[in-house]
Amino acid sequence: MLSFNAKIFIIGINPYVLLPAAVLKEIFKQAGKDKSAIPVKGTINQHSFTQTLVKYSGKWRLYINGPMLKGSNTKLGDTVTINLEFDAADRTTPMHPKLKLALQKNKQANEIFKKLSPSGQKEIMRYINNLKSESAIDNNVKKAIQFLLGRQRFIGRDKP
């Protein structure tokens, strides 16, 4: 685990910290890459988190989301202690069996789903996966299919 202190800055509405060059170099080594998003885990002021390093405007940033700020009892401008390492855990979002079956039954919706960006696919899958009751899952799988066919709003969107 790599440890460093960093000040919390903000870009737009997003709080973040910059990583020291030596820490970045080690994370790249652990991840086996220095391009695209890099999954990481660690602590901020001893509060555990799972996050992703991203490069934006030429700088690698660790974005500090609301739960991280609250859990670490910090705010913008504070200097925090971060322990960080590459997270090799599988972060694949599984497809709910009922969504999978519905897509198999509706070839047109399935083709549209396949053409969505990975984040668009993940957004639908996460939404369905986080529902609690079977009736909510059934209703929302139907809504997802109608959304993919351009017939109904779903997850706050008009069309895929």
Side-chain angles (χ1 to χ4, degrees):
M1 189 84 61
L2 306 162
S3 185
F4 63 97
N5 293 322
K7 184 176 179 179
I8 300 176
F9 297 102
I10 192 165
I11 187 168
I13 61 168
N14 302 302
Y16 71 94
V17 297
L18 295 173
L19 285 71
V23 171
L24 268 176
K25 184 177 178 181
E26 184 59 29
I27 293 289
F28 294 158
K29 183 178 171 186
Q30 291 174 4
K33 65 179 185 175
D34 63 358
K35 293 183 177 13
S36 73
I38 298 175
V40 293
K41 62 183 177 180
T43 62
I44 177 171
N45 286 358
Q46 301 179 354
H47 172 75
S48 297
F49 66 84
T50 302
Q51 191 57 288
T52 306
L53 286 181
V54 293
K55 191 171 187 179
Y56 179 74
S57 290
K59 296 179 182 178
W60 282 92
R61 302 167 195 265
L62 174 65
Y63 286 98
I64 311 297
N65 61 29
M68 290 167 70
L69 284 172
K70 186 175 180 181
S72 63
N73 197 28
T74 56
K75 61 187 179 312
L76 295 176
D78 285 354
T79 297
V80 293
T81 300
I82 296 182
N83 294 296
L84 193 67
E85 67 184 340
F86 171 67
D87 184 7
D90 181 20
R91 292 191 180 180
T92 305
T93 301
M95 184 178 292
H96 194 283
K98 289 185 176 184
L99 178 60
K100 185 175 184 176
L101 181 61
L103 288 171
Q104 287 172 345
K105 288 182 177 179
N106 190 313
K107 303 274 187 241
Q108 183 182 2
N110 193 22
E111 288 304 313
I112 294 167
F113 182 82
K114 288 178 183 177
K115 290 178 183 174
L116 292 177
S117 67
S119 63
Q121 292 176 9
K122 188 184 293 186
E123 185 177 19
I124 291 171
M125 292 187 300
R126 278 188 181 161
Y127 186 85
I128 300 291
N129 289 344
N130 287 322
L131 296 170
K132 303 295 181 214
S133 73
E134 289 302 312
S135 63
I137 293 167
D138 292 341
N139 289 337
N140 281 279
V141 166
K142 289 175 189 170
K143 287 180 182 178
I145 297 300
Q146 293 303 306
F147 166 72
L148 291 167
L149 297 173
R151 299 178 186 154
Q152 178 175 344
R153 285 179 57 88
F154 184 66
I155 55 175
R157 300 183 189 274
D158 289 324
K159 293 180 183 177

